[in-house]
Amino acid sequence: MNKIIAIVGMCGSGKSVACDILEEKGYKKVYFGGVTMDKLKEENLSVTPENEKMMREKLRSSLGMGAYAIILLPKIKELAETHNVVLDGLYSWEELKIIKEVFLDDLTTIAIIVDKNTRYERLSVRSVRPFTKEKAKERDISEIENIAKAGPIAYADYYVDNNKSIDEFRIRMDEILEDLDKGEAK
């Protein structure tokens, strides 16, 4: 079985950067947030933070807290047959349990962590879907209270401190991949 790495972290922590690094190394990405975007398009709704929140909560209300894992599991299985896979945006504890139940020790979680004020600053200036500090705080609280996002972060196999330089970020990612290649226990 190929490797499956789930990148977890709060909004603005650098999950996309970690995924980009893994894609550079040949991993195929499964973007959990893409489900939200697809569902918004299906319902002819614009992509706004409010609509995204509404759709995330709607999907989880109808399918449970593991909704995104349930929806994406066939795609993950298919890709994992021939490629290493990176999961971008696994959020809830239930999603992690569903994926872990299928892939067992082939799944590794990496949490990207960064100081809250640093995240808020980065979110305010990013080019894609920027957030004000207040919107970022609202999203944090909503994701912790309504989506059970903290569990996968707290229970991650590895942590990457993204308060430092991009070079240090890459070095830490390489260290983790070396551990995984050696088959070191998590």
Side-chain angles (χ1 to χ4, degrees):
M1 175 65 71
N2 288 295
K3 292 183 195 87
I4 300 161
I5 297 177
I7 303 296
V8 299
M10 298 302 289
C11 185
S13 61
K15 296 183 300 292
S16 296
V17 174
C19 289
D20 290 347
I21 290 168
L22 291 170
E23 283 186 289
E24 289 169 9
K25 297 180 181 295
Y27 282 70
K28 297 295 181 187
K29 181 169 79 171
V30 176
Y31 177 48
F32 278 49
V35 171
T36 303
M37 303 308 167
D38 292 344
K39 297 294 183 183
L40 287 173
K41 287 177 188 172
E42 285 175 20
E43 295 190 18
N44 292 319
L45 295 170
S46 58
V47 176
T48 65
E50 296 78 19
N51 283 345
E52 289 176 51
K53 177 185 174 194
M54 176 276 302
M55 186 56 69
R56 285 190 301 270
E57 291 176 4
K58 178 180 176 181
L59 288 170
R60 288 186 172 100
S61 175
S62 64
L63 296 173
M65 292 304 290
Y68 286 68
I70 292 166
I71 292 167
L72 291 171
L73 198 53
K75 180 177 183 177
I76 297 166
K77 285 180 180 178
E78 181 182 335
L79 284 172
E81 288 178 14
T82 55
H83 295 89
N84 290 326
V85 178
V86 59
L87 307 179
D88 182 358
L90 180 143
Y91 279 12
S92 76
W93 179 251
E94 193 62 31
E95 288 169 351
L96 178 61
K97 287 182 0 185
I98 289 167
I99 302 291
K100 189 73 170 168
E101 185 176 293
V102 173
F103 296 106
L104 305 170
D105 291 333
D106 295 316
L107 174 68
T108 301
T109 54
I110 301 174
I112 312 302
I113 56 170
V114 63
D115 295 344
K116 183 169 50 177
N117 286 329
T118 301
R119 280 192 305 108
Y120 292 167
E121 175 60 30
R122 289 175 182 170
L123 284 167
S124 72
V125 298
R126 73 179 182 182
S127 59
V128 178
R129 297 181 318 147
F131 287 97
T132 64
K133 184 176 182 177
E134 287 308 312
K135 287 289 180 190
K137 283 181 182 180
E138 287 174 21
R139 182 165 177 169
D140 277 358
I141 292 166
S142 173
E143 289 179 345
I144 291 167
E145 291 180 346
N146 302 325
I147 304 177
K149 192 171 187 179
I153 297 168
Y155 197 67
D157 297 305
Y158 295 95
Y159 291 86
V160 175
D161 178 352
N162 192 16
N163 288 295
K164 301 174 183 174
S165 72
I166 188 66
D167 290 336
E168 289 171 291
F169 188 100
R170 286 181 175 280
I171 288 168
R172 178 63 181 139
M173 288 294 295
D174 286 342
E175 290 171 354
I176 293 167
L177 294 175
E178 285 176 28
D179 279 354
L180 294 175
D181 286 343
K182 292 177 196 171
E184 293 189 10
K186 296 180 271 182

